[in-house]
Amino acid sequence: MTVYMLGAGPGDPDLITLKAIKILKKAEVILYDSLANDSLLEYAPDDVELIYVGKRAGEHYRKQPEINQLLIEQGKKHDNVVRLKGGDPFIFGRGGEEELALLKEGIDVEFVPGINSAIGAATSIGLPLTHRAVATSLTLVTGHEDPEKSEKQVNWDYTADTLVVFMGVGLLKKYVPKILQYRSPDTPVCAIEKGTLPDQRIITGTLADITEKKIRPPALIIIGDVVNIYKECEELRSKME
């Protein structure tokens, strides 16, 4: 009995690891997310059982306790169960919650890391999250905490040079004023919609005006002077054309 937690990467199916593909090829059951590219399911055997357990903002096909229970049930029935998760299982992917649920039932869990969207989306457009001249520290933060928590952990007072916000589009107008308590309105911001996919969209601005931009989820929000490095590089590229 083994459940394999596979990171599917940031969206582009070519960015999944070879190890993950090898495991998909022997899967008996695959529980997959909405952010995992559907084309990856083509690596699985013809007789594989597919179970969709996607979650999007305001649109949860399965709640987390249901997903945990499904994993337990399938893990007890089959030898090769795959949990295919967008990005990396442990970067805001709830992999830790699912791991605990399975281990408590005596079901082994193996992990294959994936390129998370912060690295994948930023690198794919040439935006360095760190840069010796302007950014020597980085914070990854969720823009959407567990609503059932008794206390919020995100206070937005982070001192890292670069701040990357996951799942934060829906609450952008709520948390940007809080960030402005600690950062200048002129701080550059970049939003990457559908990072690494053919229809990705890049929106730049500042903390002063980013809430006025039309940004659609799923999108990654990057805050800090590294955005200016990206814009400078884009200007240089345009001159080369």
Side-chain angles (χ1 to χ4, degrees):
M1 294 188 302
T2 302
V3 173
Y4 296 92
M5 296 265 184
L6 307 187
D12 181 347
D14 287 343
L15 295 177
I16 195 170
T17 65
L18 290 173
K19 185 172 183 179
I21 289 173
K22 288 177 183 177
I23 293 170
L24 282 170
K25 287 180 176 180
K26 64 178 184 179
E28 297 170 84
V29 181
I30 300 176
L31 292 87
Y32 64 103
D33 280 347
S34 59
L35 293 178
N37 196 304
D38 287 350
S39 67
L40 296 173
L41 301 175
E42 296 173 8
Y43 289 109
D46 292 338
D47 60 349
V48 70
E49 181 182 353
L50 300 176
I51 303 174
Y52 177 67
V53 291
K55 291 194 292 288
R56 289 278 177 98
E59 192 178 302
H60 287 199
Y61 184 74
R62 301 271 190 178
K63 293 183 178 179
Q64 192 60 48
E66 292 180 80
I67 295 172
N68 293 351
Q69 189 56 42
L70 273 171
L71 284 168
I72 291 166
E73 290 171 3
Q74 297 299 326
K76 287 181 176 179
K77 286 196 296 185
H78 302 283
D79 293 324
N80 296 296
V81 176
V82 168
R83 176 70 170 101
L84 188 61
K85 305 174 76 69
D88 180 88
F90 280 161
I91 306 296
F92 303 119
R94 303 193 186 183
E97 296 173 47
E98 295 170 1
E99 178 186 22
L100 280 170
L102 288 161
L103 291 174
K104 286 177 181 178
E105 294 291 327
I107 300 168
D108 193 22
V109 190
E110 291 189 22
F111 287 87
V112 178
I115 299 173
N116 74 73
S117 58
I119 295 169
T123 299
S124 72
I125 67 167
L127 194 161
L129 296 179
T130 64
H131 188 286
R132 287 197 303 169
V134 299
T136 58
S137 56
L138 169 68
T139 290
L140 307 181
V141 60
T142 178
H144 190 83
E145 283 194 86
D146 183 349
E148 296 181 8
K149 276 184 180 177
S150 57
E151 277 186 46
K152 298 296 182 186
Q153 290 175 257
V154 179
N155 294 316
W156 302 106
D157 57 347
Y158 302 104
T159 57
D161 298 314
T162 306
L163 185 63
V164 180
V165 185
F166 291 70
M167 302 171 289
V169 175
L171 298 174
L172 196 64
K173 291 184 178 180
K174 184 175 181 180
Y175 66 74
V176 164
K178 295 179 182 179
I179 297 174
L180 281 167
Q181 296 176 36
Y182 309 100
R183 297 179 187 245
S184 165
D186 295 329
T187 304
V189 180
C190 178
I192 308 173
E193 291 181 5
K194 298 185 178 181
T196 76
L197 293 173
D199 56 345
Q200 80 171 2
R201 183 166 166 259
I202 302 161
I203 305 102
T204 59
T206 65
L207 283 176
D209 65 13
I210 195 64
T211 58
E212 299 168 16
K213 313 277 184 176
K214 292 183 179 179
I215 305 170
R216 298 179 294 270
L220 195 74
I221 311 295
I222 301 168
I223 301 167
D225 289 337
V226 290
V227 175
N228 284 338
I229 300 293
Y230 161 72
K231 291 168 72 175
E232 182 180 352
C233 289
E234 284 299 289
E235 288 176 11
L236 291 169
R237 282 194 185 92
S238 67
K239 292 177 182 177
M240 293 168 59
E241 293 176 353

